[in-house]
Amino acid sequence: MSLQLDHMILPVVELEPSIEFFTKILVCTYGGVSEPFSVIRVTAELTLLLAPWGTEGGVHLAFALPRAEFDAAFDRIKAAGISYGDAFNTVGNMQGPRDEDGARGPGKAVYCFDPNQHLIEIRHYEV
């Protein structure tokens, strides 16, 4: 097995809005509590451990999705009234998606902030 990210601790201010964002907007799975963390399963191989330690935000997380799931997540962002943008530094311009390079090459991306002001990117690759 090659090196891969297993889990990440993400500090949050309040757990419930954070859990709701990751489960309802990004459709991750809530895995319950493993003190002191609330576990968000992103994939079979990756979890986010939400830590109720407070934060000023600023962590950037980029999620690659298949095109149909990207479209559905972007629709949920818009329906929830979450400000978005077409680049990491233009959240709130309500534009996008736009072409950007990612780990797998060029793709379409949109950015927003989660309830803790962490920068969330969703993207898809045309394959």
Side-chain angles (χ1 to χ4, degrees):
M1 179 169 148
S2 62
L3 177 70
Q4 68 182 66
L5 187 61
D6 183 80
H7 66 274
M8 179 179 173
I9 296 173
L10 187 66
V12 301
V13 175
E14 292 183 61
L15 288 170
E16 289 308 315
S18 302
I19 292 167
E20 186 170 318
F21 177 84
F22 285 103
T23 59
K24 295 199 171 152
I25 301 296
L26 297 183
V27 194
C28 297
T29 303
Y30 177 59
V33 175
S34 179
E35 287 295 335
F37 309 109
S38 291
V39 180
I40 300 293
R41 179 148 305 277
V42 178
T43 68
E45 297 85 21
L46 175 64
T47 56
L48 292 178
L49 304 178
L50 303 182
W53 302 333
T55 183
E56 293 181 14
V59 173
H60 172 61
L61 300 172
F63 297 95
L65 302 136
R67 175 63 190 265
E69 291 177 35
F70 171 90
D71 290 341
F74 189 28
D75 286 344
R76 287 188 295 274
I77 287 169
K78 292 185 279 188
I82 297 171
S83 293
Y84 62 89
D86 59 349
F88 72 93
N89 59 348
T90 62
V91 173
N93 73 3
M94 309 307 270
Q95 296 180 28
R98 82 169 190 185
D99 293 321
E100 282 199 341
D101 286 335
R104 294 181 233 162
K108 299 280 188 190
V110 164
Y111 297 80
C112 67
F113 290 109
D114 80 350
N116 300 283
Q117 295 304 299
H118 295 307
L119 181 64
I120 305 298
E121 173 185 350
I122 61 169
R123 64 171 32 252
H124 71 85
Y125 294 95
E126 297 294 336
V127 188

